[in-house]
Amino acid sequence: MSLSVNGDRHTVTVDNRTSLLDLLREHLGLTGSKKGCNAGACGACTVLVDGRRVNSCLTLAVRLEGAEVTTIEGLADGDQLHPLQQAFIDQDAFQCGYCTPGQIMSGVGCIQEGHSGSAEEIREWMSGNICRCGCYVKIVRAVEHAASRK
């Protein structure tokens, strides 16, 4: 199968049961997306596929022939962080950092989808992303900040 990940075309052979998360981490060495629950409940593995948010642990890699996948590793433009990555730093929107890649990817999707008009809307549309450290207020603030700079 062939797909684009962070702008680079990859042709890989994977088992029909291989998740996108395992393809990214084990076959392509992109370990930014985290395997939290491996059941689609925590959002730590969130990536963008053709611009839409998906839980990569629940997405079969073989279904993505020709797809464009963006991971946390593909957001920055060289040394220039994506505005939401910078907003997470500026707003101190992480503690342990485990959920941060999924939170940022979900936040990018939320902004692109037009679901960042208020803190309430952001919380609703990012409700599938869990933060065990409880940094939700700062995460929402970071998404609001990045959305206002768009």
Side-chain angles (χ1 to χ4, degrees):
M1 67 167 292
S2 179
L3 73 166
S4 175
V5 179
N6 300 328
D8 296 327
R9 177 68 49 197
H10 296 274
T11 301
V12 294
T13 302
V14 294
D15 182 274
N16 288 339
R17 299 166 292 176
T18 301
S19 69
L20 173 57
L21 179 60
D22 288 339
L23 169 71
L24 294 170
R25 292 180 61 81
E26 297 172 16
H27 295 266
L28 301 181
L30 298 171
T31 57
S33 302
K34 304 301 183 210
K35 188 178 278 194
C37 66
N38 208 32
C42 74
C45 67
T46 304
V47 298
L48 302 178
V49 175
D50 295 331
R52 299 187 59 182
R53 294 178 281 175
V54 301
N55 290 326
S56 61
C57 72
L58 295 180
T59 304
L60 292 174
V62 295
R63 298 198 55 169
L64 299 178
E65 179 66 40
E68 299 280 336
V69 178
T70 305
T71 70
I72 192 72
E73 293 92 344
L75 280 186
D77 183 11
D79 290 338
Q80 182 67 39
L81 293 177
H82 183 279
L84 188 53
Q85 289 173 308
Q86 187 62 54
F88 262 66
I89 293 168
D90 295 344
Q91 300 299 320
D92 195 26
F94 51 89
Q95 191 166 348
C96 81
Y98 194 83
C99 73
T100 303
Q103 295 280 0
I104 290 173
M105 296 308 297
S106 187
V108 168
C110 195
I111 293 167
Q112 289 176 351
E113 295 162 10
H115 300 299
S116 57
S118 68
E120 294 77 22
E121 184 178 26
I122 292 167
R123 279 194 296 274
E124 174 67 26
W125 285 91
M126 290 191 58
S127 63
N129 290 81
I130 308 279
C131 174
R132 289 185 150 198
C133 300
C135 293
Y136 296 111
V137 171
K138 293 179 180 182
I139 290 168
V140 169
R141 196 175 305 140
V143 174
E144 286 179 310
H145 182 75
S148 71
R149 301 181 86 202
K150 184 180 173 196

